[in-house]
Amino acid sequence: PAVEEVQDGMELAMKEFAEPPIELFIEDSATDPKQGVSAFNKLVDSQKIDLAVVTLSAIASAVTPIAIERQIPILQTLVSTPDIAKQSKYTFRYFHSSDQDAAIGVKIAVEKLKAKTVGIIHINDEYGRTQVKFFKEGFVAAGGKILSEESYLNAETDFRTSLLKIKSAKPDIIYLVGLREIAVILRQIKELNITTPLLSNAALSSYTFRQAAAGSDEGAYLVAPQFYFENPSPLTEGFL
């Protein structure tokens, strides 16, 4: 859903701002790096694109070396892998990085939630691993302790075993990093009667995800760019 929101935004923006007109071609990576590489090569070979917009850290990490080799500029968004845009003159990013995101998350955990211990559950891909790495480093440096860490693959739908392990560790907070499956995890947290305060990532700011969570996201904290919520810019207001 977050990626679809990016696509919707691009299509809306091009109607108003694209001059001369820009032709938009869409390929779906299905959040799979291999499929993302195939989609990128297809766009380059079949459509002869001048620029690629790539979403999600795992996809961008796989596509970037190929884009550099083929000398195709890529603009990355929803991509938080640190320094990924510094690899070449062909790579650009419009999004915050994991180290920036995690630093704010640690501040919320320590100062707002007064947490001294944390249980972590995250997607096991480039994005999840990098995000959690920086969060753990910052949290431990602030005097915190990691009591439990669970990871899952993109295709998983049942997170109850991992959640029960975290619950049994009795952390002060749960740190959740994921993508579209976040709504399912939140519903299962509520189902298991886990009342531990929750801190999550920008995916939880998606309207589609919150709707799918069916109220189970109530009370959760999250870190997301300010423009996700409120931006006084006339361009933003007009776009919305």
Side-chain angles (χ1 to χ4, degrees), residues 108-201:
I108 293 173
V110 174
E111 297 182 9
K112 179 73 174 181
L113 300 176
K114 310 297 182 185
K116 297 186 182 301
T117 60
V118 62
I120 300 172
I121 179 168
H122 67 90
I123 188 168
N124 190 10
D125 67 0
E126 176 73 20
Y127 169 62
R129 291 189 298 270
T130 305
Q131 188 87 357
V132 168
K133 171 184 177 292
F134 285 112
F135 180 85
K136 289 196 300 183
E137 289 176 356
F139 191 69
V140 170
K145 185 177 180 180
I146 315 299
L147 296 186
S148 178
E149 180 178 345
E150 297 290 323
S151 65
Y152 57 87
L153 299 177
N154 183 52
E156 292 186 44
T157 58
D158 188 346
F159 310 94
R160 294 175 183 84
T161 299
S162 293
L163 291 171
L164 287 173
K165 287 180 181 178
I166 292 174
K167 182 180 181 180
S168 66
K170 299 182 180 179
D172 294 331
I173 63 169
I174 294 174
Y175 184 52
L176 165 61
V177 177
L179 299 171
R180 66 183 65 192
E181 71 288 340
I182 275 186
V184 178
I185 294 175
L186 288 170
R187 293 199 304 269
Q188 291 179 7
I189 285 175
K190 185 174 182 180
E191 172 191 320
L192 296 170
N193 196 31
I194 297 174
T195 57
T196 307
L198 182 72
L199 174 62
S200 191
N201 61 296

Coordinates of all heavy atoms in Angstrom, one line a residue, residues 108-201:
I108 N 12.6 8.5 21.6 CA 11.2 8.3 22.1 C 11.2 7.2 23.1 O 10.6 7.3 24.2 CB 10.3 7.9 20.9 CG1 10.2 9.1 19.9 CG2 9.0 7.5 21.4 CD1 9.5 8.8 18.6
A109 N 12.0 6.1 22.8 CA 12.0 5.0 23.7 C 12.5 5.3 25.1 O 11.9 5.0 26.2 CB 12.8 3.8 23.2
V110 N 13.6 6.1 25.1 CA 14.3 6.4 26.4 C 13.6 7.6 27.1 O 13.3 7.5 28.3 CB 15.8 6.7 26.1 CG1 16.4 7.2 27.4 CG2 16.5 5.5 25.6
E111 N 13.3 8.7 26.4 CA 12.8 9.9 27.0 C 11.3 9.9 27.2 O 10.8 10.3 28.3 CB 13.3 11.1 26.2 CG 14.8 11.3 26.2 CD 15.2 12.5 25.4 OE1 14.3 13.3 25.1 OE2 16.4 12.7 25.1
K112 N 10.6 9.5 26.2 CA 9.1 9.5 26.3 C 8.6 8.3 27.0 O 7.7 8.4 27.9 CB 8.5 9.6 24.9 CG 7.0 9.6 24.8 CD 6.5 10.9 25.2 CE 4.9 11.0 25.0 NZ 4.4 12.2 25.5
L113 N 9.0 7.1 26.6 CA 8.5 5.9 27.2 C 9.3 5.4 28.4 O 8.8 4.4 29.0 CB 8.5 4.8 26.1 CG 7.6 5.1 24.9 CD1 7.7 4.0 23.8 CD2 6.2 5.4 25.3
K114 N 10.4 6.0 28.7 CA 11.2 5.7 29.9 C 11.6 4.2 29.9 O 11.7 3.5 30.9 CB 10.5 6.0 31.2 CG 9.9 7.4 31.3 CD 11.0 8.4 31.2 CE 10.4 9.9 31.3 NZ 11.4 10.9 31.2
A115 N 11.9 3.6 28.7 CA 12.2 2.2 28.5 C 13.6 1.9 28.9 O 14.5 2.6 28.5 CB 11.9 1.8 27.1
K116 N 13.8 0.9 29.6 CA 15.2 0.4 29.9 C 15.4 -1.0 29.2 O 16.5 -1.4 29.1 CB 15.4 0.2 31.4 CG 15.3 1.6 32.1 CD 15.6 1.4 33.6 CE 15.5 2.8 34.3 NZ 16.3 3.8 33.8
T117 N 14.3 -1.6 28.8 CA 14.4 -2.9 28.1 C 13.5 -2.9 26.9 O 12.5 -2.2 26.9 CB 14.1 -4.1 29.0 OG1 12.7 -4.0 29.4 CG2 15.0 -4.2 30.2
V118 N 13.9 -3.7 25.8 CA 13.1 -3.7 24.6 C 13.0 -5.1 24.1 O 14.0 -5.9 24.1 CB 13.6 -2.7 23.6 CG1 15.0 -3.1 23.2 CG2 12.7 -2.7 22.4
G119 N 11.9 -5.5 23.5 CA 11.8 -6.7 22.7 C 11.6 -6.2 21.2 O 10.8 -5.3 21.0
I120 N 12.2 -6.9 20.3 CA 12.2 -6.4 18.9 C 11.6 -7.5 18.0 O 12.0 -8.7 18.1 CB 13.6 -6.1 18.4 CG1 14.2 -5.0 19.3 CG2 13.7 -5.7 17.0 CD1 15.7 -4.7 19.0
I121 N 10.8 -7.1 17.0 CA 10.3 -8.0 16.0 C 10.4 -7.2 14.7 O 10.0 -6.1 14.6 CB 8.9 -8.5 16.2 CG1 8.5 -9.4 15.1 CG2 7.9 -7.4 16.5 CD1 7.2 -10.2 15.3
H122 N 11.1 -7.8 13.7 CA 11.3 -7.0 12.4 C 11.4 -7.9 11.2 O 11.6 -9.2 11.3 CB 12.7 -6.3 12.5 CG 13.9 -7.2 12.6 ND1 14.5 -7.6 11.4 CD2 14.5 -7.7 13.6 CE1 15.6 -8.4 11.8 NE2 15.6 -8.5 13.1
I123 N 11.1 -7.3 10.1 CA 11.2 -8.1 8.8 C 12.7 -8.3 8.5 O 13.5 -7.5 8.7 CB 10.5 -7.3 7.7 CG1 10.5 -8.1 6.4 CG2 11.3 -5.9 7.4 CD1 9.6 -7.5 5.3
N124 N 13.0 -9.5 8.0 CA 14.4 -9.9 7.8 C 14.8 -9.6 6.3 O 14.9 -10.5 5.5 CB 14.5 -11.4 8.1 CG 16.0 -11.8 8.1 OD1 16.9 -11.0 8.1 ND2 16.3 -13.1 8.1
D125 N 14.9 -8.3 6.1 CA 15.4 -7.9 4.8 C 16.4 -6.7 5.0 O 16.7 -6.3 6.2 CB 14.3 -7.5 3.8 CG 13.5 -6.3 4.2 OD1 13.8 -5.7 5.3 OD2 12.6 -5.9 3.5
E126 N 16.8 -6.1 3.9 CA 17.8 -5.0 4.1 C 17.3 -3.9 5.0 O 18.0 -3.4 5.8 CB 18.1 -4.5 2.7 CG 19.0 -3.3 2.6 CD 20.5 -3.6 2.9 OE1 20.9 -4.8 2.8 OE2 21.3 -2.7 3.3
Y127 N 16.1 -3.5 4.8 CA 15.5 -2.4 5.5 C 15.4 -2.8 7.0 O 15.8 -2.1 7.9 CB 14.1 -2.1 5.0 CG 13.3 -1.2 5.9 CD1 13.7 0.1 6.2 CD2 12.1 -1.6 6.4 CE1 13.0 0.9 7.0 CE2 11.3 -0.8 7.2 CZ 11.8 0.5 7.5 OH 11.1 1.3 8.3
G128 N 14.8 -3.9 7.3 CA 14.6 -4.3 8.7 C 15.9 -4.5 9.5 O 16.0 -4.0 10.6
R129 N 16.8 -5.2 8.8 CA 18.1 -5.5 9.5 C 18.9 -4.2 9.8 O 19.4 -4.0 10.9 CB 19.0 -6.4 8.7 CG 18.4 -7.8 8.6 CD 19.5 -8.8 7.9 NE 19.7 -8.4 6.6 CZ 19.1 -8.8 5.5 NH1 18.1 -9.7 5.7 NH2 19.4 -8.4 4.3
T130 N 18.9 -3.3 8.8 CA 19.6 -2.0 9.0 C 19.0 -1.1 10.0 O 19.6 -0.5 10.9 CB 19.7 -1.2 7.6 OG1 20.3 -2.1 6.7 CG2 20.5 0.0 7.8
Q131 N 17.6 -1.0 10.0 CA 16.9 -0.2 10.9 C 17.2 -0.7 12.4 O 17.4 0.1 13.3 CB 15.4 -0.3 10.6 CG 14.6 0.7 11.4 CD 14.5 2.0 10.8 OE1 15.1 2.3 9.7 NE2 13.7 2.9 11.4
V132 N 17.0 -2.0 12.6 CA 17.2 -2.6 13.9 C 18.7 -2.4 14.4 O 18.9 -2.2 15.6 CB 16.7 -4.0 13.9 CG1 17.2 -4.7 15.2 CG2 15.2 -4.1 13.8
K133 N 19.6 -2.6 13.5 CA 21.0 -2.4 13.8 C 21.3 -1.1 14.5 O 21.9 -1.0 15.6 CB 21.9 -2.6 12.6 CG 23.4 -2.3 12.8 CD 24.1 -2.4 11.5 CE 25.6 -2.0 11.7 NZ 25.8 -0.5 12.0
F134 N 20.8 0.0 13.9 CA 21.1 1.3 14.4 C 20.3 1.6 15.7 O 20.7 2.2 16.6 CB 20.7 2.4 13.3 CG 21.8 2.5 12.3 CD1 21.5 2.1 11.0 CD2 23.0 3.0 12.6 CE1 22.4 2.2 10.0 CE2 24.0 3.1 11.6 CZ 23.7 2.7 10.3
F135 N 19.0 1.0 15.7 CA 18.2 1.2 16.9 C 18.9 0.5 18.1 O 19.0 1.1 19.2 CB 16.8 0.6 16.7 CG 16.0 0.8 18.0 CD1 15.3 2.0 18.2 CD2 15.9 -0.2 18.9 CE1 14.5 2.1 19.4 CE2 15.1 -0.1 20.1 CZ 14.4 1.1 20.3
K136 N 19.4 -0.7 17.9 CA 20.0 -1.5 19.0 C 21.3 -0.7 19.5 O 21.5 -0.6 20.7 CB 20.3 -2.9 18.6 CG 19.1 -3.8 18.4 CD 19.5 -5.3 18.4 CE 20.4 -5.6 17.2 NZ 20.7 -7.0 17.1
E137 N 22.1 -0.3 18.6 CA 23.3 0.4 18.9 C 23.0 1.7 19.8 O 23.6 1.9 20.8 CB 24.1 0.9 17.7 CG 24.7 -0.3 16.9 CD 25.4 0.1 15.6 OE1 25.3 1.3 15.3 OE2 26.0 -0.7 15.0
G138 N 22.0 2.4 19.4 CA 21.6 3.6 20.1 C 21.0 3.3 21.4 O 21.3 4.0 22.4
F139 N 20.1 2.3 21.5 CA 19.4 2.0 22.7 C 20.4 1.4 23.8 O 20.4 1.8 24.9 CB 18.3 0.9 22.4 CG 17.4 0.7 23.6 CD1 16.5 1.7 24.0 CD2 17.4 -0.5 24.3 CE1 15.6 1.5 25.0 CE2 16.6 -0.7 25.3 CZ 15.7 0.3 25.7
V140 N 21.3 0.6 23.4 CA 22.3 0.0 24.3 C 23.3 1.2 24.7 O 23.6 1.2 25.9 CB 23.1 -1.1 23.6 CG1 24.3 -1.5 24.5 CG2 22.2 -2.3 23.4
A141 N 23.6 2.0 23.8 CA 24.5 3.2 24.2 C 23.8 4.1 25.2 O 24.5 4.7 26.1 CB 24.9 4.0 23.0
A142 N 22.5 4.1 25.2 CA 21.8 4.9 26.2 C 21.5 4.2 27.5 O 20.8 4.7 28.4 CB 20.4 5.4 25.5
G143 N 22.1 3.0 27.6 CA 21.9 2.2 28.8 C 20.8 1.2 28.8 O 20.5 0.5 29.8
G144 N 20.2 1.0 27.6 CA 19.1 0.0 27.5 C 19.6 -1.4 27.3 O 20.8 -1.6 27.0
K145 N 18.7 -2.3 27.4 CA 19.0 -3.7 27.2 C 18.0 -4.4 26.2 O 16.8 -4.2 26.3 CB 19.0 -4.5 28.6 CG 19.4 -5.9 28.5 CD 19.5 -6.5 29.9 CE 19.9 -8.0 29.9 NZ 19.9 -8.6 31.2
I146 N 18.6 -5.2 25.3 CA 17.7 -6.0 24.4 C 17.4 -7.3 25.0 O 18.2 -8.1 25.2 CB 18.4 -6.2 23.1 CG1 19.1 -4.9 22.6 CG2 17.5 -6.7 22.0 CD1 18.2 -3.8 22.3
L147 N 16.1 -7.5 25.3 CA 15.7 -8.8 26.0 C 15.3 -9.9 25.0 O 15.5 -11.1 25.3 CB 14.5 -8.5 26.9 CG 14.7 -7.6 28.1 CD1 13.4 -7.6 29.0 CD2 15.9 -8.0 28.9
S148 N 14.8 -9.5 23.8 CA 14.4 -10.5 22.8 C 14.4 -9.9 21.4 O 14.1 -8.7 21.3 CB 13.0 -11.0 23.2 OG 12.5 -11.9 22.2
E149 N 14.8 -10.7 20.4 CA 14.7 -10.2 19.1 C 14.3 -11.3 18.2 O 14.8 -12.4 18.2 CB 16.1 -9.7 18.6 CG 16.1 -9.2 17.1 CD 17.4 -8.7 16.7 OE1 18.3 -8.5 17.5 OE2 17.6 -8.5 15.4
E150 N 13.2 -11.0 17.4 CA 12.6 -12.0 16.5 C 12.5 -11.4 15.1 O 12.3 -10.2 15.0 CB 11.2 -12.4 17.0 CG 11.1 -13.0 18.3 CD 11.7 -14.4 18.3 OE1 11.5 -15.1 17.3 OE2 12.3 -14.9 19.3
S151 N 12.7 -12.2 14.1 CA 12.6 -11.7 12.7 C 11.7 -12.6 11.9 O 11.5 -13.8 12.3 CB 14.0 -11.6 12.1 OG 14.6 -12.9 11.9
Y152 N 11.3 -12.1 10.8 CA 10.4 -12.9 10.0 C 10.6 -12.6 8.5 O 11.2 -11.6 8.2 CB 8.9 -12.7 10.3 CG 8.5 -11.2 10.2 CD1 8.1 -10.7 9.0 CD2 8.6 -10.4 11.3 CE1 7.8 -9.3 8.9 CE2 8.3 -9.0 11.2 CZ 7.9 -8.5 10.0 OH 7.6 -7.2 9.9
L153 N 10.2 -13.5 7.6 CA 10.3 -13.3 6.2 C 9.1 -12.6 5.6 O 8.1 -12.6 6.2 CB 10.5 -14.7 5.5 CG 11.8 -15.5 5.9 CD1 11.8 -16.8 5.3 CD2 13.1 -14.7 5.7
N154 N 9.3 -12.1 4.4 CA 8.3 -11.2 3.8 C 7.0 -12.0 3.6 O 5.9 -11.4 3.7 CB 8.8 -10.7 2.5 CG 7.8 -9.8 1.8 OD1 7.4 -8.8 2.4 ND2 7.5 -10.1 0.5
A155 N 7.0 -13.2 3.4 CA 5.8 -14.0 3.0 C 5.0 -14.5 4.2 O 3.9 -15.0 4.1 CB 6.1 -15.2 2.1
E156 N 5.6 -14.3 5.4 CA 4.9 -14.9 6.6 C 3.7 -14.1 7.0 O 3.5 -12.9 6.8 CB 5.9 -14.9 7.8 CG 7.1 -15.9 7.6 CD 7.9 -15.9 8.9 OE1 7.4 -16.0 10.0 OE2 9.2 -15.9 8.7
T157 N 2.7 -14.9 7.6 CA 1.5 -14.2 8.0 C 1.1 -14.5 9.5 O 0.2 -13.9 10.0 CB 0.3 -14.7 7.1 OG1 0.2 -16.2 7.2 CG2 0.5 -14.3 5.7
D158 N 1.8 -15.5 10.1 CA 1.5 -15.8 11.5 C 2.7 -15.5 12.3 O 3.8 -16.1 12.2 CB 1.2 -17.3 11.6 CG 0.7 -17.7 13.0 OD1 0.8 -16.9 13.9 OD2 0.1 -18.8 13.1
F159 N 2.5 -14.5 13.2 CA 3.6 -14.0 14.0 C 3.4 -14.3 15.5 O 4.2 -13.8 16.3 CB 3.8 -12.5 13.8 CG 3.8 -12.1 12.4 CD1 2.6 -11.7 11.7 CD2 5.0 -12.1 11.7 CE1 2.6 -11.4 10.4 CE2 5.0 -11.8 10.3 CZ 3.8 -11.4 9.7
R160 N 2.5 -15.2 15.8 CA 2.1 -15.4 17.2 C 3.2 -16.0 18.0 O 3.5 -15.6 19.2 CB 0.9 -16.3 17.3 CG -0.4 -15.6 16.7 CD -1.6 -16.6 16.7 NE -2.8 -16.0 16.1 CZ -3.0 -16.0 14.8 NH1 -2.1 -16.5 13.9 NH2 -4.1 -15.4 14.3
T161 N 4.0 -17.0 17.5 CA 5.0 -17.6 18.2 C 6.1 -16.6 18.6 O 6.6 -16.5 19.8 CB 5.7 -18.7 17.4 OG1 4.7 -19.7 17.1 CG2 6.8 -19.4 18.2
S162 N 6.5 -15.7 17.7 CA 7.5 -14.7 17.9 C 7.0 -13.7 19.0 O 7.7 -13.3 19.9 CB 7.9 -14.0 16.6 OG 8.5 -14.8 15.8
L163 N 5.7 -13.3 18.8 CA 5.2 -12.4 19.7 C 5.1 -12.9 21.2 O 5.3 -12.2 22.1 CB 3.8 -11.9 19.2 CG 3.8 -11.1 18.0 CD1 2.3 -10.9 17.5 CD2 4.4 -9.7 18.2
L164 N 4.7 -14.2 21.3 CA 4.7 -14.8 22.6 C 6.0 -14.9 23.3 O 6.2 -14.7 24.5 CB 4.0 -16.2 22.5 CG 2.5 -16.2 22.3 CD1 2.0 -17.6 22.0 CD2 1.8 -15.5 23.5
K165 N 7.1 -15.1 22.4 CA 8.4 -15.1 23.0 C 8.8 -13.8 23.5 O 9.4 -13.6 24.6 CB 9.4 -15.5 21.9 CG 9.4 -17.0 21.5 CD 10.4 -17.3 20.4 CE 10.3 -18.8 20.0 NZ 11.3 -19.1 18.9
I166 N 8.4 -12.7 22.8 CA 8.7 -11.4 23.2 C 7.9 -11.1 24.5 O 8.4 -10.5 25.5 CB 8.4 -10.4 22.1 CG1 9.4 -10.5 21.0 CG2 8.5 -8.9 22.7 CD1 9.1 -9.7 19.8
K167 N 6.7 -11.5 24.5 CA 5.8 -11.2 25.7 C 6.4 -11.9 26.9 O 6.4 -11.3 28.0 CB 4.4 -11.7 25.4 CG 3.4 -11.5 26.6 CD 2.0 -12.1 26.3 CE 1.1 -11.8 27.4 NZ -0.3 -12.3 27.1
S168 N 6.9 -13.1 26.8 CA 7.4 -13.8 27.9 C 8.7 -13.2 28.5 O 9.1 -13.3 29.6 CB 7.7 -15.3 27.6 OG 8.8 -15.4 26.6
A169 N 9.4 -12.4 27.6 CA 10.6 -11.7 28.1 C 10.3 -10.5 28.9 O 11.2 -9.9 29.6 CB 11.5 -11.3 26.9
K170 N 9.1 -10.0 28.8 CA 8.6 -8.9 29.6 C 9.4 -7.6 29.4 O 9.9 -7.0 30.4 CB 8.5 -9.2 31.1 CG 7.6 -10.4 31.4 CD 7.5 -10.7 32.9 CE 6.6 -11.9 33.2 NZ 6.5 -12.2 34.6
P171 N 9.6 -7.1 28.2 CA 10.3 -5.9 27.9 C 9.4 -4.7 28.3 O 8.2 -4.8 28.4 CB 10.5 -5.9 26.4 CG 9.4 -6.7 25.9 CD 9.1 -7.8 26.9
D172 N 10.1 -3.5 28.4 CA 9.3 -2.3 28.7 C 8.6 -1.9 27.5 O 7.5 -1.3 27.6 CB 10.3 -1.2 29.2 CG 10.9 -1.5 30.5 OD1 10.3 -2.2 31.3 OD2 12.0 -1.0 30.7
I173 N 9.1 -2.1 26.3 CA 8.5 -1.7 25.0 C 8.8 -2.8 24.0 O 9.7 -3.6 24.1 CB 9.0 -0.4 24.5 CG1 10.4 -0.4 24.1 CG2 8.7 0.8 25.5 CD1 10.9 0.8 23.3
I174 N 8.0 -2.8 22.9 CA 8.2 -3.6 21.8 C 8.6 -2.7 20.6 O 7.8 -1.7 20.3 CB 7.0 -4.5 21.4 CG1 6.7 -5.5 22.5 CG2 7.2 -5.2 20.1 CD1 5.4 -6.3 22.3
Y175 N 9.6 -3.0 19.9 CA 10.0 -2.2 18.7 C 9.7 -3.0 17.5 O 10.3 -4.1 17.3 CB 11.5 -1.9 18.8 CG 12.0 -1.0 17.7 CD1 11.4 0.2 17.4 CD2 13.2 -1.4 16.9 CE1 11.9 1.0 16.3 CE2 13.7 -0.6 15.9 CZ 13.0 0.6 15.6 OH 13.5 1.4 14.6
L176 N 8.8 -2.6 16.7 CA 8.3 -3.3 15.5 C 8.8 -2.6 14.2 O 8.5 -1.4 14.0 CB 6.8 -3.4 15.5 CG 6.1 -3.8 14.3 CD1 6.5 -5.2 13.8 CD2 4.6 -3.7 14.5
V177 N 9.5 -3.3 13.3 CA 9.9 -2.7 12.1 C 9.4 -3.6 10.9 O 9.8 -4.8 10.9 CB 11.4 -2.6 12.0 CG1 11.8 -2.0 10.6 CG2 11.9 -1.6 13.1
G178 N 8.6 -3.1 10.1 CA 8.1 -4.0 9.0 C 7.5 -3.1 7.9 O 7.6 -1.9 7.8
L179 N 6.7 -3.8 7.0 CA 6.1 -3.2 5.9 C 4.6 -3.5 5.9 O 3.9 -3.2 6.9 CB 6.8 -3.7 4.5 CG 8.3 -3.3 4.4 CD1 8.9 -4.0 3.2 CD2 8.5 -1.8 4.4
R180 N 4.1 -4.0 4.8 CA 2.6 -4.2 4.8 C 2.1 -5.2 5.8 O 0.9 -5.1 6.1 CB 2.2 -4.7 3.4 CG 2.7 -6.1 3.0 CD 2.4 -6.4 1.5 NE 3.0 -5.5 0.6 CZ 2.7 -5.4 -0.7 NH1 1.7 -6.2 -1.2 NH2 3.4 -4.6 -1.5
E181 N 2.9 -6.1 6.3 CA 2.5 -7.0 7.3 C 2.3 -6.5 8.7 O 1.8 -7.1 9.6 CB 3.5 -8.2 7.4 CG 4.8 -7.9 8.0 CD 5.7 -7.0 7.2 OE1 5.5 -6.9 6.0 OE2 6.6 -6.3 7.8
I182 N 2.6 -5.2 8.9 CA 2.5 -4.5 10.2 C 1.1 -4.6 10.7 O 0.8 -4.8 11.9 CB 3.0 -3.1 10.1 CG1 4.5 -3.1 10.3 CG2 2.3 -2.2 11.2 CD1 5.1 -1.7 10.4
A183 N 0.1 -4.4 9.8 CA -1.3 -4.5 10.3 C -1.7 -5.8 10.9 O -2.4 -5.9 11.9 CB -2.2 -4.1 9.1
V184 N -1.2 -6.9 10.2 CA -1.4 -8.2 10.7 C -0.8 -8.4 12.1 O -1.4 -9.0 13.0 CB -0.9 -9.3 9.8 CG1 -1.2 -10.7 10.3 CG2 -1.6 -9.1 8.4
I185 N 0.4 -8.0 12.2 CA 1.2 -8.1 13.5 C 0.4 -7.4 14.6 O 0.2 -7.9 15.7 CB 2.6 -7.6 13.4 CG1 3.4 -8.5 12.4 CG2 3.3 -7.6 14.7 CD1 4.8 -8.0 12.1
L186 N -0.1 -6.2 14.3 CA -0.8 -5.4 15.3 C -2.1 -6.1 15.8 O -2.4 -6.1 16.9 CB -1.1 -4.0 14.7 CG 0.1 -3.1 14.6 CD1 -0.3 -1.8 13.8 CD2 0.6 -2.6 15.9
R187 N -2.8 -6.7 14.8 CA -4.0 -7.4 15.2 C -3.7 -8.6 16.0 O -4.4 -8.9 17.0 CB -4.8 -7.8 13.9 CG -5.3 -6.6 13.1 CD -6.4 -7.1 12.2 NE -6.0 -8.1 11.2 CZ -5.5 -7.9 10.0 NH1 -5.3 -6.7 9.6 NH2 -5.2 -8.9 9.3
Q188 N -2.6 -9.3 15.7 CA -2.2 -10.5 16.5 C -1.7 -10.1 17.9 O -1.9 -10.8 18.9 CB -1.2 -11.3 15.7 CG -1.8 -12.0 14.5 CD -0.8 -12.8 13.7 OE1 0.3 -13.0 14.1 NE2 -1.3 -13.3 12.5
I189 N -1.0 -8.9 18.0 CA -0.6 -8.4 19.3 C -1.9 -8.2 20.2 O -1.9 -8.6 21.4 CB 0.1 -7.1 19.2 CG1 1.6 -7.4 18.6 CG2 0.2 -6.3 20.5 CD1 2.4 -6.1 18.3
K190 N -2.9 -7.6 19.6 CA -4.1 -7.4 20.3 C -4.8 -8.7 20.7 O -5.3 -8.9 21.8 CB -5.1 -6.5 19.5 CG -6.4 -6.1 20.2 CD -7.2 -5.1 19.4 CE -8.4 -4.7 20.2 NZ -9.2 -3.7 19.4
E191 N -4.8 -9.6 19.8 CA -5.4 -10.9 20.0 C -4.8 -11.7 21.1 O -5.5 -12.4 21.9 CB -5.3 -11.7 18.7 CG -5.7 -13.2 18.8 CD -5.3 -14.0 17.5 OE1 -5.4 -13.4 16.4 OE2 -4.8 -15.1 17.7
L192 N -3.5 -11.5 21.2 CA -2.7 -12.2 22.3 C -2.7 -11.4 23.6 O -2.0 -11.8 24.6 CB -1.3 -12.4 21.8 CG -1.1 -13.4 20.7 CD1 0.3 -13.3 20.1 CD2 -1.5 -14.8 21.0
N193 N -3.5 -10.3 23.6 CA -3.6 -9.5 24.8 C -2.2 -9.0 25.3 O -1.9 -9.0 26.5 CB -4.3 -10.3 26.0 CG -4.8 -9.4 27.1 OD1 -5.1 -8.2 26.8 ND2 -4.8 -9.8 28.3
I194 N -1.4 -8.6 24.4 CA -0.1 -8.0 24.7 C -0.3 -6.5 24.8 O -0.7 -5.8 23.9 CB 0.9 -8.3 23.6 CG1 1.2 -9.8 23.5 CG2 2.3 -7.6 23.9 CD1 2.1 -10.2 22.4
T195 N -0.1 -6.0 26.0 CA -0.3 -4.6 26.3 C 0.9 -3.7 26.4 O 0.9 -2.6 26.8 CB -1.1 -4.4 27.6 OG1 -0.4 -5.1 28.7 CG2 -2.5 -5.1 27.5
T196 N 2.1 -4.3 26.1 CA 3.3 -3.6 26.1 C 3.3 -2.4 25.2 O 2.9 -2.6 24.0 CB 4.5 -4.6 25.8 OG1 4.4 -5.7 26.6 CG2 5.8 -3.9 26.0
P197 N 3.8 -1.3 25.6 CA 3.8 -0.1 24.6 C 4.6 -0.5 23.4 O 5.6 -1.2 23.4 CB 4.6 1.0 25.5 CG 4.3 0.6 26.9 CD 4.2 -0.9 26.9
L198 N 4.1 0.1 22.3 CA 4.7 -0.3 21.0 C 5.3 0.9 20.3 O 4.7 2.0 20.2 CB 3.6 -0.9 20.1 CG 4.0 -1.3 18.7 CD1 4.8 -2.6 18.8 CD2 2.7 -1.6 17.8
L199 N 6.5 0.7 19.7 CA 7.2 1.8 18.9 C 7.4 1.2 17.5 O 8.0 0.1 17.4 CB 8.5 2.2 19.6 CG 9.4 3.1 18.8 CD1 8.7 4.5 18.6 CD2 10.7 3.3 19.6
S200 N 7.0 1.9 16.5 CA 7.2 1.3 15.1 C 7.8 2.3 14.2 O 8.2 3.4 14.6 CB 5.8 0.8 14.7 OG 5.9 0.1 13.5
N201 N 7.8 2.0 12.9 CA 8.4 2.7 11.8 C 7.4 3.5 11.0 O 6.2 3.4 11.2 CB 9.3 1.8 11.0 CG 8.5 0.7 10.3 OD1 8.0 -0.1 11.0 ND2 8.5 0.7 9.0

